[in-house]
Amino acid sequence: MSRVLVDSNVILDVLTESEEWFDWSAAALARCADEGELAINPIIYAEVSIRFERIEALDDALAPSQFVRLALPWEAAFLAGKCFLAYRRKGGVRRSPLPDFYIGAHAAVGSLTLLTRDGSRYRTFFPNLEIISP
């Protein structure tokens, strides 16, 4: 495993010390950091930012020394749109935001492993994606 895209739910589990998910998320995050490089993209950054009042605090929590900041590939935008369309055509509700598909598409086109708690949706729409999930 060389580079792992870390979904916002895993980061938020650790930052909020989630009673249900902290242990799993902290252990998985530590293991991935030991075995490779952790990465985020602007969508993950934005989702995590909701928990912070100031950008400086967010940047401390998502320090570039711990999380490589990756740009979003244009190919991922196309794939995310197509996967979201397929999801909606299968009866998916709007509650499932397009950003989740963009995160999965970014991991897929970038040949990144995805660390997430939401493995089932990603496996459905990105069957060849390497996923670390409970």
Side-chain angles (χ1 to χ4, degrees), residues 109-131:
V109 302
S111 299
L112 306 168
T113 299
L114 180 63
L115 174 60
T116 183
R117 275 195 289 103
D118 194 14
S120 61
R121 179 180 317 141
Y122 289 111
R123 283 187 187 96
T124 299
F125 291 94
F126 305 98
N128 297 322
L129 181 61
E130 184 178 345
I131 297 172

Side-chain angles (χ1 to χ4, degrees), residues 8 40-49 72 98-100 102-103:
S8 55
I40 59 171
N41 65 29
I43 293 170
I44 295 164
Y45 184 92
E47 289 179 334
V48 174
S49 76
L72 292 166
L98 180 58
D100 287 348
Y102 211 148
I103 290 167

Side-chain angles (χ1 to χ4, degrees), residues 39 55 115 132:
I55 194 169
L115 174 60
I132 299 169

Side-chain angles (χ1 to χ4, degrees), residues 45-117:
Y45 184 92
E47 289 179 334
V48 174
S49 76
I50 294 169
R51 302 287 303 174
F52 293 86
E53 293 295 321
R54 299 180 35 135
I55 194 169
E56 295 84 2
L58 174 61
D59 285 340
D60 285 345
L62 299 177
S65 61
Q66 295 176 320
F67 294 92
V68 174
R69 295 177 182 199
L70 302 175
L72 292 166
W74 290 102
E75 296 86 356
F78 183 82
L79 179 57
K82 295 302 174 195
C83 289
F84 185 71
L85 180 62
Y87 167 80
R88 294 288 294 142
R89 285 183 175 160
K90 289 181 179 180
V93 295
R94 290 194 185 272
R95 260 191 13 242
S96 178
L98 180 58
D100 287 348
F101 289 98
Y102 211 148
I103 290 167
H106 183 190
V109 302
S111 299
L112 306 168
T113 299
L114 180 63
L115 174 60
T116 183
R117 275 195 289 103

